[in-house]
Every structure is written in C-alpha cells, then in structure tokens.
Amino acid sequence: KEEIIQDHLAMAPISHTIALGLIITRASAFTAPTSTRALVTTASPFLASANTPSNSNNSNPTRQPMARRMIGSILDLLSGGDGGMISPENAMKGRPEKMKGITGLKHYILKNDLEEVPEGYEVCVFGNGCFWGSEKAIWRMPKGIHSTAVGYCAGFTPNPTYNEACSSMTGHTEGVRVVYNPAEISYVDIMRMFWESHDPTQYMGQGNDRGSQYRSGIYYFNEDQKRLIEAAKDAYEKALGGREIKTEIAAASDYDKHGGLWYFAEPYHQQYLAKPGARPYCSAQPQGVSLPPFETWAPEDLKEKYAPKLPEAFWKKHGPMRGCSVVRFDDEPILES
C-alpha cells in the first residue's frame, strides 16, 4: 500500500506537466522546441531545475529515474522529437561540487575503484542511448576492463544532476566511461561494441528515449582514437546500407572550457542493471549489423598497434543482436574470449 501511495504522489506533478505541455502544444503548432523544455524546467520537479539541491540523493531511485526518463521523452516528442542542442550560454549554470558518493565507490561487479586509472591504462568515453544497458555491454567483455561508470558527458553544465541532464538543459548525453588495459583489450574492441550496440543513424535519441541527453556520441583523447573512430564510422555507414550516421564525434579537450567532458552520475545509477530490484530497461536499438573486418578500414599505420584482441568467434556468439537484449544477459563478465 505504501508503495502505491508513493507511486501516486510521484506521478501527480508529472500528470500536470503533461497536461500543460499538451495544452501549449495544441495552442501553437509552431512553438519552438526549446519552449517545451523551458516548461519542463519551470513546471516539473521531476526534470531538472536550478533549484534542485546540488547533487541531491534520490529518495526513490528505482522509480523516479523511470518517471523522469518517460516525461522527458514525452515532452521531447511533443516538441518535435529532434529538438537539437541547447547553446552553452543558455545551459544551466551547474555547481563546483562534484557528485556525492563517488569518491571511493567500487564497481558493483568488477570491484575496482570507479575513478582510478592505473598506470598504462587508457580511457574511452561514449554515449549511445540509455546508459544502463550501454554500460553493462562493456563490463561483460571478457578481459581488460578495469571499470565502467555511467555519467553525463559532452555538455556545458558543471556537475549536473540526473534531473538536470534529463531536461536537455545542460547539453549532456548519458554516457559511459571505460577504463581499460590496452595490453588485454583493444580500443577497437570497445569501439566495435559501441557501434553495434545502438542505431547511430538516429538523431537525438534511441528508440522511445528522445532528446539530446540520449544522442549518440564518441569522444577521443588522442589523434589515434580520432582516426580510428572516423574510419570505423565510414565503414559502418556502408555496412548499414549507406544510411547516414548521426554520431557526434569530438575531442574530449573541446569541453575543457565547460569544466570537462565527463561527470559521474549518481551512485544509484552505477551498474544499475546488476543491482537487486533493477528494472530491465534498455532503449538502444542495435541493428544486428557487424562492423566490417578491421583490416578493411583501419589506417595502415595503426593496424598493428590497435588490432582487435577479441576473435570473431566472440562477436558471433556474444555480439549485440537486433533489438536491445543486453538486459537479459548475465551480469558477470563473459568467461570465454
């Protein structure tokens, strides 16, 4: 009974927000998409506002994220679905304090510190829809993954909360940060999982999740990564039958002026799908299309250094299937390579 009451109280303000959004949308078929987001910011406590306590803890983490995700997507659909990006000058101001509860936090499955990057290890950051499933696809890889984490990347607001990121008013996309050992797994292996785990031809969203916070993006930390990403994009675009890939490709350093590329999400989001009571939600839209063989698209001078370490047999057995299926898989890393 208490849970029913909590759900009712949680949904009440959302109902009013939807109703107001419908009224405004019907009143003016030519309203700019940003006006609907402004409505979200001022009218709904479930979607971000500058009045939200900095990095506040969510009192009901298994319900409220789904409510915010649903309403954010509905309002984006009401405003046309592909509302575009907010400008840096119009983004929320954010805060200097980092996310609470991240310092010292261990990966729920791999048991390593989320923030540490051991000597010789490297970092990969990308976004391809709802970060819950995207993260799980990587931590299940059989070797070389030190940690994965979910967060908010490639935006303009320092240290955003989930509420704020869901409003599309910070410019961030839901992202995954991977710390990996390049001696055991190649950047190309991780990048292949990124491409094949979603539909990169969708603009500003994946499946029913719409808005800039669900856009496809991959962010490079050096020139080698940039060249590999661009070459793989061209190859995968051809494999998809020539459909244009809409993935955002940018340097991590481009976001230094906004405080940095990456901000960790709240602790309850970290490895969410592995935790008791998690709802098996995934919005990504894998196409069931494989990235062409590495040797057919990789720059010649990078072939030896970045050759894949996972065999094709791994991808045939464990690679993403059409439609989002990662939520059905075991949480532990795959034992075979």
Side-chain angles (χ1 to χ4, degrees):
K1 181 179 179 182
E2 181 180 348
E3 291 184 355
I4 295 174
I5 292 172
Q6 288 176 350
D7 278 338
H8 175 73
L9 292 175
M11 294 303 293
I14 296 178
S15 305
H16 294 305
T17 304
I18 294 176
L20 187 54
L22 286 169
I23 291 170
I24 291 175
T25 304
R26 289 175 178 174
S28 174
F30 301 99
T31 301
T34 52
S35 66
T36 307
R37 292 199 182 88
L39 166 67
V40 177
T41 306
T42 58
S44 174
F46 283 83
L47 299 174
S49 92
N51 296 322
T52 302
S54 64
N55 297 330
S56 58
N57 290 325
N58 190 317
S59 61
N60 197 352
T62 61
R63 290 193 185 89
Q64 292 185 13
M66 296 298 292
R68 294 190 190 101
R69 183 182 300 279
M70 177 184 72
I71 300 309
S73 296
I74 288 174
L75 290 172
D76 265 298
L77 288 169
L78 289 174
S79 67
D82 295 337
M85 283 284 290
I86 192 167
S87 62
E89 58 270 20
N90 290 325
M92 290 180 172
K93 300 306 179 187
R95 57 194 59 80
E97 299 83 14
K98 65 181 290 187
M99 182 64 68
K100 294 178 181 178
I102 294 298
T103 299
L105 186 63
K106 305 295 185 182
H107 194 282
Y108 192 78
I109 297 295
L110 304 178
K111 309 305 181 185
N112 295 317
D113 188 288
L114 289 191
E115 293 184 291
E116 70 178 3
V117 181
E119 185 176 354
Y121 283 52
E122 296 180 4
V123 174
C124 173
V125 172
F126 63 84
N128 56 358
C130 171
F131 52 19
W132 292 339
S134 300
E135 182 191 21
K136 181 175 179 177
I138 301 296
W139 89 55
R140 294 184 71 250
M141 298 182 87
K143 57 185 179 182
I145 304 300
H146 181 75
S147 69
T148 60
V150 297
Y152 314 114
C153 65
F156 314 119
T157 299
N159 297 294
T161 65
Y162 182 74
N163 296 23
E164 292 167 348
C166 274
S167 73
S168 297
M169 298 295 289
T170 73
H172 292 92
T173 187
E174 291 194 4
V176 177
R177 175 181 182 261
V178 185
V179 178
Y180 67 99
N181 182 354
E184 296 183 355
I185 192 164
S186 172
Y187 179 80
V188 168
D189 293 314
I190 297 170
M191 182 177 61
R192 177 172 178 175
M193 186 66 78
F194 159 76
W195 288 119
E196 295 185 15
S197 292
H198 75 307
D199 180 2
T201 70
Q202 292 193 26
Y203 179 66
M204 294 295 173
Q206 281 291 297
N208 293 327
D209 282 344
R210 310 304 305 169
S212 58
Q213 67 270 32
Y214 304 114
R215 72 187 184 275
S216 172
I218 186 165
Y219 308 93
Y220 54 87
F221 291 85
N222 55 54
E223 189 65 20
D224 284 0
Q225 288 185 0
K226 178 184 178 182
R227 293 174 63 203
L228 289 166
I229 292 167
E230 291 176 342
K233 170 184 172 289
D234 291 344
Y236 201 47
E237 200 166 66
K238 293 175 183 176
L240 291 170
R243 294 157 55 203
E244 181 186 0
I245 286 178
K246 306 291 181 61
T247 299
E248 177 178 71
I249 299 172
S253 60
D254 288 351
Y255 299 90
D256 290 348
K257 59 189 173 185
H258 304 300
L261 171 72
W262 174 265
Y263 296 98
F264 286 90
E266 292 80 350
Y268 66 83
H269 282 300
Q270 305 301 334
Q271 301 84 59
Y272 171 81
L273 290 178
K275 295 175 179 176
R279 297 187 179 185
Y281 179 81
C282 179
S283 65
Q285 302 288 303
Q287 297 298 286
V289 176
S290 297
L291 183 67
F294 175 72
E295 60 274 10
T296 67
W297 57 262
E300 194 64 37
D301 60 322
L302 300 181
K303 284 184 176 179
E304 181 177 354
K305 182 177 180 181
Y306 293 98
K309 297 185 184 298
L310 295 180
E312 195 60 31
F314 167 85
W315 295 98
K316 289 181 179 179
K317 186 172 182 179
H318 301 290
M321 298 178 287
R322 187 173 180 84
C324 194
S325 57
V326 69
V327 294
R328 303 197 306 266
F329 298 152
D330 292 340
D331 295 325
E332 296 298 322
I334 296 165
L335 294 179
E336 58 188 90
S337 59

